[in-house]
Amino acid sequence: MSTSARPADALRADDKPTQTPPSAAARKIGGVAGWVDDRTGAGKAVGYLMKKVFPDHWSFMLGEIAMYSMIIALISGAFLTLWFVPSMGHTVYEGSYVPLRGVHMSEAYASTLHISFDVRGGLIIRQIHHWAALMFIVAIVVHMFRVFFTGAFRKPREINWVIGSVLALLAIVEGFSGYSLPDDLLSGTGIRAMQGFVQTAPVIGSYLVYGIFGGPFPGEAIIPRLYSAHILLLPAVLIGLFTAHIVLVALQKHTQFPGPGRTNDNVVGFPVMPVYAAKAGGFFFIVFGVISLMAALVTINAVWAYGPYDPSPVTAGSQPDWYMGFADGALRLLPGWLEFTLAGFTFSMNIMPGALILLPLVYIVVGVYPFVERWVTGDNREHHLLDRPRNAPTRTAIGMAGISMYSVLMFAAANDIIAIKLHMSINDITHVLRAAFFILPIIVFWCTKRICLSLQRADRNLALHQRESGTIIRTPDGSFFERHDELTADERWILVQHEPVAPIEITDGVDENGVAKPASRGDKLRAKLSHFYFKDAVNPVTPAELAAAHHDGHGHEAIEAADEDDSAQLGSAVPSRDH
Amino acid sequence: MNALAARRRHPAAIAVLLLIGLFLMGAAYSAVAPRPAEAGVVSQDDVSEGKQLFQANCASCHGLNAEGRKTGSGDAIAGPTLAGVGAAAVDFQMSTGRMPMRAPTAQAPRSDTIKFSEEDIAKISAYVASLAPGPAIPSEEMVDPTKGDPAKGGELFRVNCAMCHNSSGAGGALTRGKYAPSLMDVAPKDIYMAMETGPQSMPVFNDTNLDSTAKRDIIAFLKSVEEGGNPGGLSLGRLGPVTEGMFAWIFGLGLLVGIAVWLGKKAA
């Protein structure tokens, strides 16, 4: 009799002990991760994300700066909530900042001073919070520039572009609500201005103000209300939309710049684990470091210098934070004679367009652009390869013109500071900027477009002629030519990879029964816009042109004639001479 | 001596020589530099001497008897009448370098080059004060910031002054090239006299508006702003959100994009 013990559930001697096989995930990952996966099933999703490949380019990190700044603002904001008192209740300051001791003020302002001077590390956290907020919106804007100018908003990413536009709008509303909380003279002036803006809504303006302020201005409700919007409502919506934004990027793959081996169907780059986990994780700390450095060295919003809010005074140099500057600038540029009364109601057209209409309008125009461009180009394909900005001259020019308009308004908001610092007349600055708002976009549009077209022509030239070596060669028969160095295939690919474009031609047609069918008004408009976009398009060098240019093995002056007319006659280009 | 000669080619030798040279030069200058004359008590002689100085230096714009002059084109005046502006106005305008005005610009700028000695300014002040009664130069005690209440002064400043001069006294723009200048590093006496006489575009804050205690409180506030420094770090000119936004765009974004480019270039 063997002494080997038989398990209790093994009826026969040769029964194998039953053994629960480890789960598929546990076999693969094991350890703590396996334990978590057995209970949550997260392994598959995490594995998918860790293996996700992202392309590498510095401009793809602009969005990361925005994301990290937002996180930094969240963390530092949580710290501030521990001491900030969102109340307009009356108090007398008795803290350690001497010039304000004994001054009557609201509890909100007193607690902001308390954070700044009496809470250990309070001032630097306050400054980190504010600098992070400014950098958040700066980064959003430049991230938008990158996405716009590279055409990353095209199908299938239109929804994400719209989400991004809403995020950008909400970010500045979030910024404004935070700017208003300390209840110092500057932020109080901001709230007072906001009250005036709301009042300009025709007919309902004054009712709206009573609703927002819970009575006449200033009342005691506005700061608690802005506070709950600032720390609860808006952050919740921001984070929700931001999550959707990021999830869509992961689902749709990241776009990539054109280059050798990069197609519309692949992503050339590195996986998240370990490369981007390290790079992006490290970048978070770099952003945190830079913002902390700014906060440690440079004052932002010196609330103690402004004094408590009181509706009677106002300070010179009252400006909103930079992201609201364009709306403030519009107010400063709008002439006063635009106000009129009709049927007993005042229509403040000298204020309303800048105060109430401009803000949503800018973000609506931005959000709608992908749909307009898609309609004009009729391009329903998916795009995962980015445009080089020069290869979409009209889009690039439209973007630059828009930026120039926005900048004129933004600089108008600083007209008083410009006047004192550059010793100019504020009236002259205002007149010049009024004209610039209409003229500058046209100039910028034209210049940008010409520069793009020239760059495209230069690319064509380079692809056809190759690189000028500067070496002059004398042939045995006494003539001279310059040797042109060959481009590598990789270099050439970037110059020729984009697709040729041409304006849509719409003509009055005939239907299947031979009855005249004039083009619809929409079609005609579309044809016109398409003409506007593509009439002077410079198309990439075709393989046939390239062959024609290189067929004699030197190709140094083969294309001269052809260059004058971009593509049509290239096929017939004949080298002037053989060697 | 040998030790010194051996060291004459030491890298620091030039720096040491330069320092010695500069020190000797400075010491020599301070020994022979002209000293400002002490201002004395006003007498009748001062008034007549002041009149002479006035007619030689100020009359081309203000008229031979300080009655004011027109430029001749339209209603534009070359200089206003000075009857009744008082000694305080003359002292303020001349001792801050605003008068004599260098050029017919929108506003006479403050200047560090003061054209007249304290003594001469006192004589001209005495002459102008003799024309008609006007505000006098305040005493030391009336402008002593240590005797004022900065908190009270801050409230008065925000209500009366901040709309032009900015809540921290950094200055602000007015119409057509005129401006409210920065109030930093202005002598207490000059702040007082400016309020009292209302130079250029500034309104007059006489004693029924802001009595002399209130004026001293405002001076105390401005000095406390000056001495308080910048608890938050660099002040960026105390100009508020405009310079902050510029700093975020140029420095913040510049640095972060620079780092992003560097990270993007680094091989994975």
Side-chain angles (χ1 to χ4, degrees), chain B residues 69-131:
Chain B
R69 269 196 60 221
K70 291 196 172 185
T71 56
S73 62
D75 285 335
I77 55 164
T81 174
L82 298 183
V85 300
V90 179
D91 191 76
F92 173 81
Q93 298 281 0
M94 297 188 71
S95 63
T96 57
R98 288 180 164 84
M99 290 288 155
M101 203 170 169
R102 291 173 182 179
T105 45
Q107 184 168 322
R110 181 179 164 193
S111 163
D112 288 333
T113 10
I114 297 152
K115 306 273 168 35
F116 292 87
S117 65
E118 274 183 46
E119 207 174 25
D120 288 348
I121 293 172
K123 285 173 185 163
I124 300 173
S125 304
Y127 164 66
V128 171
S130 74
L131 298 171

Side-chain angles (χ1 to χ4, degrees), chain A residues 457-530:
Chain A
R457 292 210 177 88
D459 282 356
R460 275 186 64 87
N461 232 6
L462 188 58
L464 291 170
H465 288 261
Q466 320 252 33
R467 189 169 288 120
E468 292 174 4
S469 66
T471 309
I472 308 292
I473 292 173
R474 187 179 169 192
T475 58
D477 61 3
S479 65
F480 294 90
F481 69 93
E482 183 184 10
R483 184 170 54 78
H484 284 205
D485 290 342
E486 290 232 355
L487 293 174
T488 65
D490 289 1
E491 285 168 334
R492 190 185 303 115
W493 174 246
I494 292 175
L495 303 177
V496 301
Q497 47 76 32
H498 56 293
E499 290 163 345
V501 285
I504 302 170
E505 295 297 338
I506 300 226
T507 46
D508 295 347
V510 181
D511 72 4
E512 63 271 23
N513 298 323
V515 180
K517 185 176 163 227
S520 74
R521 194 169 291 175
D523 284 346
K524 281 181 185 159
L525 176 66
R526 200 179 134 198
K528 261 189 195 152
L529 285 171
S530 176

